[in-house]
Each structure stands twice: as C-alpha cells, then as structure tokens.
Amino acid sequence: MAGGVMRSVVVTGVGTVEVRDVPEPHAQAGEIRIKVAGAGPNYADLRIIGGGNIGNGIGLELAGIVDEIGPGVENAQLGTAVATIHIPWGKPGSASEYVVVPATHAAKIPDGLDILDAATVTLNSLTAAQLLAGASTGSLLVTGAAGGVGGYGVALAARAGWEVTALARATDTEFLRRAGAARVITALEDGFDAVLDTALLNEAAVKAVRDGGTYLGVYPGAEPPSERGIVVTSTMVEPDGVAAQEMLALTAKGVLEARRAGTVPFEETKVAYEALVMGGQRGRWVLTA
C-alpha cells in the first residue's frame, strides 16, 4: 500500500519533543491501524524523553478508530472505537495520527465511555491487574494510591478481596474510599502481607511488609533488595486485548474511575510533559491529533 506521511510527537533531545512528519504506517498481517483520537502520556514517557532517545516516539496507550485491517484479522471492523497499549521503541508512539498494533492487543470501547477517557485506561489498569494477579489476597498497602497505577491498584485489589490500605494525601481520601480502600493513611505503617509500591518508595516500602510477605514493584530492574524472606517482584505490562476489554467495561460501569487531568493537542505536549515532571497529578493527560 502506498505510504504517505503523518504527524507524530518525537524526542528531539534531552527533555525536548516536537511534532514531526514521519512515514505513515499500514496494517500488515494480523494487525489493525488506528486513527488516533487521544494518546495518554505516562510516567514511563519521562524516561524516554528525559533519556534523550532522539527520534523515538512517545505515548504508550491510545484510543481511536480502526481505519485499516490487515490480512488474517477476523474480529475487527472498520469504524470501531478501540483502546490499546502501544510500546513505541524504534517506531512512532501513540502520540501519532496513526498507530498500527496487533489486532489481539486492542479492545472495543463500550458504549457510554468517552473515547478520550478510554485513552487513559489500558496501561495503568493492566499494570495494576497483572501485578496483583500473582499474589494471594490479604492485607495490602498501596503507595502512591491516588496516582495512575495506584488508583487502579486500590480498586482492583479491593474488588479481588484484599483489605486495602491506601497511602496518599488526606485530600485524596474521598476518591480512595470510593475506589474501595478500607483505610487511608498519610505516613507509612508496617505489618502488611503485601505492598504495591507505585510511589517507588523501594526499601522504605519493603520495611512495611511483614516477614515472608510480598513486595510488588512497577519498574523491573529497579526493585529494592529482599529482606526477611520477603518476595520482591515486579512486572513489565503486557498488552492484552481481552483484559483491556474488562478494564474498559468496568470503567463504563463506574466501577473504575476514568480521571483526565487535561487535554492538549500534540503541539502542546510540553504542557503535559512538564505536569508529569512536577508530579502529584490526579488523572491522566491526553494528547489529541
């Protein structure tokens, strides 16, 4: 298929991004192409941008409309609104006019869920779900509980039967109670069966775990050392269309909250980037083409 060009946000230096024209991708066997409505920048993008990965795309998740279907794809229709994780190493990120992904990675957006809100759901919710999947229930401390992964961690853990304590600011209590937290604390305590450490407290979070408990981290390779028989683990999120469908359905039903901090066009990506650097975000920024 003939190729053209499209607009995409790319890294141009350490801490700098620009909208550039790049080759337009097309769906190959087993893939779909999505015309992007909104892309969700994430804290992981800070590493990409801050590391000066020149030419690399940014954005790890998106929502949009299927506009091309590759050979061998059976359960996809043109014009369907979908959301998905998209890992951009070596190719344009989700902050692009078009993104190509394996068809099995994408999930249909349920009726009633705003397409730009859907752009904020898949990455953080699946990260939390996949971390919790390998742990037994009991008492769980979630650090950074009002953040992206943390908020989903509280809601999904409570739904799965954990007794959840949320470590966050007092001003976040109402949201965390709605999410299912049994308690909200503003300073570390100890004695928990497990800690989901989305705030990257590392060694301090390990000390909050009882002997023989579990530490769940969000950055593979940056885990703190184990002590007192504590199992230290982390995970790199894997795209999963079936699981994403469940997360989107729970969001449409109001079980999970879609929180959008702001919406800016690609050309104003710097606004979202600087907000992420400052930290303390409640909700996700969305970049629109």
Side-chain angles (χ1 to χ4, degrees):
M1 188 177 294
V5 295
M6 67 172 182
R7 293 160 53 247
S8 180
V9 181
V10 300
V11 179
T12 55
V14 177
T16 62
V17 295
E18 291 181 9
V19 179
R20 296 277 180 89
D21 286 339
V22 301
E24 182 181 302
H26 292 282
Q28 305 301 313
E31 297 178 332
I32 58 173
R33 189 176 78 164
I34 302 167
K35 182 174 175 57
V36 176
N42 186 272
Y43 284 101
D45 287 304
L46 296 183
R47 293 191 171 192
I48 297 172
I49 298 170
N53 298 282
I54 295 175
N56 206 88
I58 69 162
L60 302 171
E61 65 181 330
L62 65 117
I65 305 298
V66 177
D67 86 325
E68 265 185 22
I69 299 174
V73 176
E74 298 179 355
N75 298 315
Q77 292 184 334
L78 295 174
T80 301
V82 298
T84 184
I85 292 174
H86 173 62
I87 309 300
W89 290 115
K91 55 189 174 183
S94 64
S96 304
E97 288 186 273
Y98 298 95
V99 167
V100 169
V101 299
T104 55
H105 289 184
K108 182 179 178 181
I109 299 172
D111 294 341
L113 181 57
D114 184 278
I115 195 169
L116 296 184
D117 286 339
T120 71
V121 172
T122 55
L123 186 72
N124 286 335
S125 64
L126 289 184
T127 298
Q130 289 172 14
L131 276 166
L132 292 167
S136 302
T137 56
S139 61
L140 175 71
L141 172 67
V142 180
T143 72
V149 176
Y152 285 111
V154 169
L156 293 171
R159 181 177 170 82
W162 289 88
E163 181 183 350
V164 180
T165 297
L167 177 63
R169 299 172 183 171
T171 51
D172 293 313
T173 298
E174 184 178 345
F175 161 70
L176 292 165
R177 289 290 193 184
R178 288 198 309 270
R183 293 196 305 141
V184 179
I185 60 176
T186 58
L188 273 174
E189 299 177 2
D190 58 22
F192 295 94
D193 294 321
V195 170
L196 174 56
D197 185 25
T198 74
L200 303 180
L201 300 183
N202 297 326
E203 287 85 354
V206 171
K207 294 185 184 304
V209 182
R210 64 163 175 80
D211 294 359
T214 303
Y215 171 94
L216 304 170
V218 295
Y219 278 115
E223 305 91 341
S226 176
E227 59 180 68
R228 296 179 286 110
I230 293 169
V231 175
V232 173
T233 186
S234 63
T235 189
M236 178 71 72
V237 65
E238 293 289 339
D240 183 335
V242 174
Q245 189 75 67
E246 180 184 4
M247 298 300 109
L248 292 166
L250 290 173
T251 306
K253 293 174 182 176
V255 176
L256 302 178
E257 290 193 29
R259 297 181 294 159
R260 202 181 336 156
T263 306
V264 294
F266 286 172
E267 287 76 11
E268 296 179 25
T269 296
K270 184 179 179 181
V271 173
Y273 173 67
E274 290 177 345
L276 286 172
V277 170
M278 288 178 60
Q281 295 297 296
R282 297 299 179 258
R284 296 287 306 286
W285 285 83
V286 175
L287 308 177
T288 60

